[in-house]
Amino acid sequence: MKLIGSYTSPFVRKISVMLLEKGIVFEFVNDPPYEPGSRVVEYNPLGKVPALVADDGEVFYDSRVIAEYLELLACAPAFLPIDRHAALPVRQVEALADGVTEAASALFRESQRPAEKQDESWVLRQREKVLHGLDALEALAQEKKLLNAEQITLADIATGCALGYLNLRRIIPNWCVGRPELVKLAERLFARESFARTMPP
Ligand SMILES: N[C@@H](CCC(=O)N[C@@H](CS)C(=O)NCC(=O)O)C(=O)O
């Protein structure tokens, strides 16, 4: 199995964590999509990472599709309930965490542009997505049902990757304030070997 990605991508990290947790052997191909000469488009017409090349040569892209594929391989531990209906709310939280990551990534990209070219109203819109998303995740983490429950799920992994990315890019550096359960969840996840080994440089 081959994972095409980059070391800083939170979506790639989500998949790397799953593979490590499940003990699936894989080759990591570092191919940052924004660098000239990137071959990512050969695997994903959208030019985005992660992409996964399965052992039979089939290619999957978009972390949510890859996550679904990895769950189908039935390697323990499972990160989604087997019942498709029961899996839906977990996937919904995964989508929420991914949405926070997407908005944070958009904020980072915008911050890299010359100050005079940055669109203030758009930046505010992305910041709101991150803040509202974090508040919703904190509320879920407090409930300890779909997030932050005893058994780790895809919702927890996606949330850990979102929080790790906020730390990496220093987006909303005070996100911890007023979100104690997310802080505890982050500490719990970052102590795991899978998260430690995929810490972005
Ligand atoms: N929904 C996609 C998002 C993937 C994504 O946005 N990846 C970024 C890196 S973090 C990327 O490859 N960006 C390159 C581009 O947008 O051209 C997923 O979950 O895989």
Side-chain angles (χ1 to χ4, degrees), residues 42-176:
E42 291 173 23
Y43 300 96
N44 175 356
L46 302 173
K48 293 184 178 201
V49 289
L52 185 94
V53 185
D55 286 341
D56 62 3
E58 198 166 356
V59 179
F60 298 99
Y61 51 80
D62 197 289
S63 64
R64 285 182 225 169
V65 175
I66 298 172
E68 185 78 43
Y69 170 71
L70 294 181
E71 286 296 286
L72 286 175
L73 295 179
C75 297
F79 292 114
L80 285 173
I82 293 180
D83 177 74
R84 291 180 71 177
H85 203 270
L88 263 182
V90 181
R91 306 232 66 169
Q92 178 75 85
V93 182
E94 178 198 11
L96 174 62
D98 282 358
V100 168
T101 306
E102 271 158 24
S105 166
L107 280 173
F108 174 69
R109 293 268 145 230
E110 190 70 2
S111 73
Q112 300 302 98
R113 281 156 46 87
E116 69 278 7
K117 289 205 172 144
Q118 291 178 25
D119 181 340
E120 203 182 322
S121 64
W122 193 80
V123 166
L124 282 174
R125 197 171 160 78
Q126 302 308 315
R127 267 184 72 87
E128 287 209 333
K129 287 185 204 302
V130 175
L131 293 171
H132 290 165
L134 287 174
D135 287 341
L137 289 170
E138 170 66 19
L140 287 160
Q142 284 179 15
E143 278 176 24
K144 293 189 169 54
K145 284 184 203 145
L146 291 173
L147 190 64
N148 204 15
E150 203 173 312
Q151 209 180 326
I152 284 178
T153 69
L154 195 46
D156 297 289
I157 294 175
T159 302
C161 293
L163 299 176
Y165 186 73
L166 292 180
N167 289 344
L168 172 74
R169 299 301 193 201
R170 295 187 173 76
I171 308 280
I172 327 270
N174 62 349
W175 67 262
C176 298

